[in-house]
């Protein structure tokens, strides 16, 4: 059976001299792996494919990409090592989460927007990383409790602690009673709530101090790690270039 679908290439693995196995995120079929014969030849349609319209033949054991019409190539990603590293991490994280329809459509839209923001340097990379991590976890059904303290229902006025395993939010006083140190200042807490709850059109519309960015980044990364069985290998490299 052949399908025609838009898709974003998440990973390309070389096979032989001119072939590749592409891993593609699609809105209606989730994450697909498919053989792209001859795609490393410079004049082949698939050579520069990033976000494209694909014709894919679905087989019992192997899928085959028959053609691709390129829609968008994020040239700006390759201008900096940091942008390239973030794109690699986001792609690997998406493969690990392997969203299924209908969540895959939301994930694709989020990833395309994040890559655009990265390529055009619209937001700090740490902020974009945190947005993608926590928003994609929320889309996948792993949203933490972010509205108020899980014990006393306090909403603001102090630092808070987010438990990365249980997803519980605790105010500073309640966290101290459980021998936990707050990991979110007011700015980072506001951003966390915004990432989880804002409508798509406003998702990227906030700013943070450097300190709040770092706190938010650590919390989001810890939360993702606590809920995944596999830690993306690209994360270590990303850490190295963002330091």
């Amino acid at each position: 059976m052949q399908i025609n679908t838009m898709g974003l290439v998440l990973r390309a693995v070389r096979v032989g001299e001119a072939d590749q196995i592409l891993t593609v995120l699609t809105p209606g079929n989730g994450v697909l792996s498919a053989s792209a014969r001859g795609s490393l030849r410079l004049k082949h349609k698939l050579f520069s494919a990033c976000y494209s319209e694909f014709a894919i033949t679905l087989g019992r054991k192997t899928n085959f990409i028959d053609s691709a019409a390129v829609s968008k190539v994020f040239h700006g990603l390759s201008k900096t090592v940091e942008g390239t590293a973030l794109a690699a991490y986001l792609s690997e994280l998406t493969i690990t989460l392997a969203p299924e329809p209908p969540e895959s459509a939301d994930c694709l839209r989020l990833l395309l927007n994040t890559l655009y923001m990265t390529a055009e340097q619209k937001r700090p990379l740490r902020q974009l990383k945190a947005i993608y991590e926590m928003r994609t976890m929320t889309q996948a059904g792993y949203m933490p409790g972010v509205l108020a303290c899980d014990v006393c229902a306090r909403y603001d006025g102090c630092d808070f602690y987010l438990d990365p395993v249980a997803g519980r939010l605790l105010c500073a006083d309640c966290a101290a009673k459980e021998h936990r140190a707050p990991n979110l200042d007011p700015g980072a807490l506001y951003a966390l709530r915004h990432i989880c709850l804002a409508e798509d059109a406003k998702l990227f519309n906030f700013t943070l101090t450097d300190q709040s960015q770092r706190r938010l980044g650590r919390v989001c990364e810890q939360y993702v790690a606590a809920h995944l069985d596999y830690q993306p290998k690209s994360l270590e490299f990303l850490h190295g270039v963002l330091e």
Side-chain angles (χ1 to χ4, degrees), residues 1-207:
M1 179 180 72
Q2 187 182 74
I3 62 170
N4 292 292
T5 178
M6 298 302 296
L8 179 69
V9 176
L10 301 176
R11 180 170 62 197
V13 178
R14 182 168 183 163
V15 180
E17 294 185 0
D19 301 342
Q20 294 184 101
I21 299 295
L22 301 184
T23 302
V24 183
L25 175 62
T26 69
N29 296 84
V31 177
L32 294 175
S33 290
S35 175
R37 295 170 176 170
S39 56
L40 287 175
R41 297 191 181 99
L42 287 174
K43 295 183 179 180
H44 195 282
K45 295 178 182 179
L46 294 180
F47 178 76
S48 62
C50 186
Y51 181 57
S52 305
E53 182 177 1
F54 292 96
I56 303 176
T57 297
L58 302 179
R60 291 184 178 181
K61 295 184 178 180
T62 305
N63 303 318
F64 296 93
I65 294 178
D66 303 315
S67 65
V70 177
S71 176
K72 175 69 176 178
V73 179
F74 297 96
H75 294 292
L77 293 176
S78 61
K79 291 182 179 180
T80 66
V81 175
E82 294 84 356
T84 302
L86 179 60
Y89 168 64
L90 299 184
S91 295
E92 190 175 2
L93 178 58
T94 304
I95 293 172
T96 303
L97 289 170
E100 296 288 340
E103 289 80 9
S104 55
D106 294 332
C107 184
L108 176 59
R109 183 166 55 251
L110 172 63
L111 184 51
L112 288 171
N113 288 336
T114 307
L115 292 177
Y116 166 77
M117 289 284 185
T118 303
E120 299 299 321
Q121 300 181 13
K122 296 288 188 179
R123 297 288 185 275
L125 294 188
R126 286 189 179 87
Q127 184 170 321
L128 292 172
K129 173 178 175 289
I131 289 172
Y132 188 80
E133 286 173 327
M134 194 56 73
R135 185 68 166 206
T136 196
M137 292 298 287
T138 297
Q139 291 175 347
Y142 295 99
M143 187 180 81
V146 297
L147 293 180
C149 175
D150 188 58
V151 176
C152 71
R154 185 171 184 173
Y155 180 77
D156 57 14
C158 66
D159 288 352
F160 278 72
Y161 170 75
L162 180 71
D163 186 328
V165 177
R168 299 170 65 226
L169 190 66
L170 300 174
C171 69
D173 291 340
C174 292
K177 293 175 183 177
E178 297 190 15
H179 308 288
R180 303 288 187 178
N183 53 12
L184 293 167
D185 60 19
L189 176 61
Y190 166 83
L192 179 66
R193 287 170 173 157
H194 181 88
I195 293 168
C196 292
L197 302 172
E199 58 187 77
D200 289 346
K202 298 180 180 179
L203 177 60
F204 296 90
N205 296 343
F206 66 91
T207 59

